Structures are given as C-alpha cells and as structure tokens.
C-alpha cells in the first residue's frame, strides 16, 4: 500500500511516497516553501512516477503551510512528523534537533517513537538556515561550502552577536579587518551550534542525539554541534525529508486503523 507525506515549510517543499510504511519509493525536494507553487509541483513530480493510480493514495500534510494543501486528507504538526520520521530512520534517537529555513526545534522522543516534549525558536532567524544563508551571502560563498572551509580554519574567531542583523555587521567588520574566511566560517558555525545546543538543553539532552531538517545536510553544523554537545549526532541522507517521511507513516497508520475498524 502506498501513502504520501508532504512537508510544506517556510523555505522548502518536500514530498515522499512510501510503500507499506517501510520503503521510500520516491521523494522530491523543491527549495521554495509555502505560498509558492512548490508544494503542488513537488507533489505532482512524485505522483508522475506512479501514473494515474495516484488519486487513490492517501496524502497527509505537515509543516508550516500544511493547512493550505488541498490534496491532503489530514494535517499534522511538523514536530509529531519529525519525531515519527526520525524514529523510522533510527529508533535510538531520543533528542532530535530540527534546523529548518526559519526555525529551530528540539524534541524529545520516547522509546516507542512518540513525541514527548519539544521547544522551538520561531521568532528569530538566529541559529536557523536563514542565518547561515545570510552569512554565506556576505562572505560570497555557498552554504554548501561552509563545512569544507571550516575544516581549514586555524584560528576560529568568536561571533558575539546572535542577532542576524548584528552578526552580519560583525562578519563585515571581520572581513575588512582581513580575518581569513575559513576562520570566520568556523566562528559562524560555532555560534549557531552554541545557540542550538542551548535550545536543546531546554528539553534535556538524552542520547542518542539526532538532527533533521535541511541544515542537517551541512556537515559543518553537525560537527560544531557534536563539539558543543560533546556527543555524536546522528544524521541521515534523508535529513531534509524526515518530516515528510513521518507524514507518510502517519497516513499509513491511519489506513491500517480504518481497515481494522471496518
Ligand atoms: P523548512 O522545512 O523550514 O522550509 P528545511 O528543513 O527544508 O526548511 O531547510 C531549509 C534550509 O536547509 C535552508 O536554509 C537551506 O539553506 C538549508 N540546506 C538545504 N540543503 C542544504 C545543504 N546541502 N547544505 C547546507 N544547507 C542546506
């Protein structure tokens, strides 16, 4: 049986097609989020892969823009879906940190995969993918270059401002003081890791720690977070689609429940 999970974020749209709640058959990410055509497009792209039978497949939507997706039969919060998706990928994860485009969430996952508690920072770009994108632009690099650059740092500098606007000015002054880009990048990654670690501390760090969201693909952030938390951080190649996987899993469980009750 096939089910679909669609995760409509502030920055990107993700769609996953799952078979029997076990196998990822197809997936797609488009780097545009709610309020754009991307949610519809990402869904169509995945559905194209299975032809005309798509109309009968149950769709569950999650993410910031989940209520405005017409194909979904049901919506669920992204925290529940991230916890569900991570438990599917690695059932050992008890503390999950999701860094997306415009917010950061820290979740506690119980031994059966249930979301037990969470905290989030949604009012400020500090510590988010957006913060990293702004800093990358000032440095004239791509966010995907950050990890390699930070590895070459010999003298990490401290970025003292957490506010994106002030940190941007701080980076500009470092650049004009001829500080090496590698050292500035290492400082930026460290400052994000510190902020995220402090948020995660509010749910209580319990090992294994895992990371999801688009920023989990940034190995530089993962390494900085591991240093800050003093523990390994589990990441998956499916990091950005964890919420969509969770949504497809919930859709699958709903169908099983319906079948049982009839
Ligand atoms: P949301 O669900 O909040 O819309 P995502 O979880 O999809 O966002 O994360 C989007 C963020 O992930 C963006 O800020 C983007 O820069 C970052 N991102 C996506 N892919 C990569 C990558 N390969 N390396 C580093 N950062 C990435």
């Amino acid at each position: 049986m096939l089910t679909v999970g669609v995760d409509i974020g502030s920055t990107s749209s993700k769609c996953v097609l799952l078979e029997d709640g076990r196998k990822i058959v197809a997936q797609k990410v488009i780097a545009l989020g709610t309020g754009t055509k991307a949610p519809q497009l990402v869904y169509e792209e995945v559905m194209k892969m299975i032809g005309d039978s798509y109309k009968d497949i149950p769709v569950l939507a999650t993410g910031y823009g989940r209520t405005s997706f017409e194909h979904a039969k049901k919506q669920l919060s992204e925290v529940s879906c991230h916890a569900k998706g991570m438990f599917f990928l690695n059932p050992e994860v008890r503390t999950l940190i999701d860094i997306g485009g415009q917010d950061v969430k820290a979740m506690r996952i119980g031994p059966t995969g249930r979301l037990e508690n969470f905290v989030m920072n949604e009012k400020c770009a500090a510590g988010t993918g957006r913060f990293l994108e702004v800093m990358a632009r000032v440095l004239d690099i791509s966010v995907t270059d950050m990890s390699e650059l930070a590895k070459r740092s010999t003298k990490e500098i401290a970025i003292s401002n957490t506010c994106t606007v002030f940190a941007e000015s701080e980076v500009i002054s470092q650049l004009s003081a001829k500080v090496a880009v590698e050292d500035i990048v290492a400082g930026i990654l460290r400052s994000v890791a510190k902020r995220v670690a402090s948020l995660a501390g509010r749910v209580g760090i319990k090992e294994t720690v895992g990371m999801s969201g688009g920023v989990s693909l940034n190995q530089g952030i993962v390494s900085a977070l591991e240093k800050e938390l003093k523990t390994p951080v589990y990441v998956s190649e499916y990091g950005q689609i964890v919420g969509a996987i969770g949504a497809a899993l919930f859709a699958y469980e709903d169908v099983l429940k319906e079948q049982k009750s009839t």
Side-chain angles (χ1 to χ4, degrees):
M1 185 213 314
L2 295 170
T3 56
V4 171
V6 180
D7 179 0
I8 305 166
S10 61
T11 310
S12 77
S13 305
K14 288 79 70 176
C15 185
V16 165
L17 180 66
L18 200 67
E19 187 179 351
D20 296 333
R22 272 199 298 268
K23 188 173 160 214
I24 297 164
V25 180
Q27 53 145 315
K28 177 92 185 155
V29 177
I30 297 182
L32 281 172
T34 185
T36 70
K37 287 186 178 141
Q40 174 68 22
L41 272 178
V42 83
Y43 172 72
E44 281 172 10
E45 287 282 315
V46 168
M47 291 308 147
K48 249 189 227 164
M49 304 179 199
I50 50 165
D52 275 349
S53 55
Y54 77 91
K55 287 193 182 84
D56 305 326
I57 300 176
V59 182
L60 195 147
T62 187
Y64 186 64
R66 63 186 177 273
T67 52
S68 53
F69 191 65
E70 58 171 327
H71 305 288
K73 219 172 137 187
K74 188 174 170 182
Q75 294 84 21
L76 276 176
S77 79
E78 58 265 41
V79 272
S80 304
C81 289
H82 271 263
K84 189 84 173 169
M86 183 49 79
F87 190 74
F88 169 81
L89 293 170
N90 181 349
E92 300 294 315
V93 171
R94 292 290 167 272
T95 310
L96 174 60
I97 297 166
D98 163 35
I99 312 186
Q102 288 185 26
D103 58 21
V104 184
K105 304 179 189 83
M107 290 153 258
R108 169 57 63 77
I109 306 175
T112 58
R114 217 173 55 86
L115 174 74
E116 289 183 336
N117 187 16
F118 76 96
V119 289
M120 72 187 287
N121 154 36
E122 56 178 344
K123 299 245 155 34
C124 167
T128 67
R130 179 96 188 101
F131 179 91
L132 292 166
E133 284 171 22
V134 168
M135 298 309 146
R137 199 171 52 227
V138 174
L139 294 169
D140 198 19
I141 58 168
S142 151
V143 282
T144 52
D145 299 330
M146 286 183 143
S147 159
E148 281 308 310
L149 281 164
K151 273 189 211 157
R152 282 189 252 138
S153 166
T154 51
K155 197 168 167 254
E156 179 185 310
I157 55 132
I159 302 286
S160 51
N161 284 291
T162 45
C163 166
T164 310
V165 179
F166 291 138
E168 189 180 3
S169 313
E170 200 178 339
V171 167
I172 292 169
S173 354
Q174 302 283 6
L175 276 177
S176 58
K178 301 270 181 274
V179 175
V181 170
E182 290 84 346
D183 297 333
I184 300 177
V185 170
I188 290 167
L189 296 181
R190 178 62 72 98
S191 86
V192 169
K194 273 196 169 72
R195 190 169 171 92
V196 171
S198 133
L199 182 87
R202 285 169 45 201
V203 284
I205 300 292
K206 192 170 176 187
E207 291 171 358
T208 302
V209 177
M211 208 184 142
S212 62
V215 177
S216 71
L217 302 173
N218 185 334
Q219 189 49 49
I221 285 291
V222 178
S223 305
L225 203 52
E226 286 179 330
K227 257 192 227 163
E228 211 52 50
L229 296 174
K230 298 184 180 60
T231 182
V233 171
Y234 168 84
V235 285
S236 155
E237 60 178 308
Y238 298 121
Q240 196 168 11
I241 59 163
V242 169
I245 294 174
L249 283 166
F250 276 122
Y252 176 69
E253 287 181 0
D254 282 350
V255 178
L256 291 186
K257 273 183 223 154
E258 274 168 29
Q259 286 175 348
K260 255 192 195 163
S261 65
T262 52

